[in-house]
Amino acid sequence: QVHLVESGGGLVQPGGSLRLSCTTSARTFNNYVMGWFRQAAPGKEREFVASMSWNGFTTYARESLKDRFTISRDFAENTLNLQIDSVKAEDTAVYYCAERLATRIKFDYWGQGTQVTVSS
């Protein structure tokens, strides 16, 4: 069972930056994809932000966010990171880390989420 834990959320002023991290438990498979999603409010759609293959070779990002959002891996620390720059009020959301087998489309494993609030 994969266990994901997000951290790094909080209150940030517009125009600021923050870095979210997702730590992962040991897994029994290697061919996986990790990603970040966000949900602006309960009942709203959880939207894709970015993803990265297990070896870091392949990344995808939502087109409207790729100029400000950067996904990265720290293999030594076994974490997945999301750098958010020039934050905007509309970035306010709960950010979730997720993981799936590379052979699947659906993300099967999810963290509990970390709240990001952008406000002055």
Side-chain angles (χ1 to χ4, degrees), residues 95-117:
Y95 285 74
Y96 295 91
C97 176
E99 187 171 313
R100 62 173 173 84
L101 283 170
T103 54
R104 289 178 57 81
I105 296 175
K106 180 176 175 286
F107 281 81
D108 295 310
Y109 305 100
W110 294 84
Q112 83 289 348
T114 185
Q115 176 71 48
V116 172
T117 302

Side-chain angles (χ1 to χ4, degrees), residues 5-118:
V5 179
E6 303 95 336
S7 61
L11 178 65
V12 58
Q13 293 187 342
S17 298
L18 78 165
R19 182 182 178 90
L20 306 181
S21 293
C22 173
T23 58
T24 67
S25 62
R27 58 178 60 78
T28 58
F29 49 89
N30 290 323
N31 194 15
Y32 59 92
V33 174
M34 297 187 70
W36 287 98
F37 291 75
R38 68 181 186 180
Q39 186 174 23
K44 296 198 72 172
E45 180 183 358
R46 187 176 296 186
E47 67 176 15
F48 169 78
V49 175
S51 66
M52 175 175 280
S53 60
W54 67 277
N55 54 13
F57 288 171
T58 305
T59 61
Y60 294 99
R62 192 176 190 86
E63 188 65 29
S64 60
L65 302 177
K66 62 195 308 181
D67 289 343
R68 299 186 297 112
F69 288 58
T70 304
I71 191 171
S72 64
R73 287 289 303 274
D74 184 329
F75 291 93
E77 297 293 328
N78 203 25
T79 61
L80 179 75
N81 303 309
L82 183 69
Q83 177 72 29
I84 310 176
D85 297 316
S86 303
V87 296
K88 304 177 181 180
E90 52 262 42
D91 295 327
T92 295
V94 178
Y95 285 74
Y96 295 91
C97 176
E99 187 171 313
R100 62 173 173 84
L101 283 170
T103 54
R104 289 178 57 81
I105 296 175
K106 180 176 175 286
F107 281 81
D108 295 310
Y109 305 100
W110 294 84
Q112 83 289 348
T114 185
Q115 176 71 48
V116 172
T117 302
V118 181

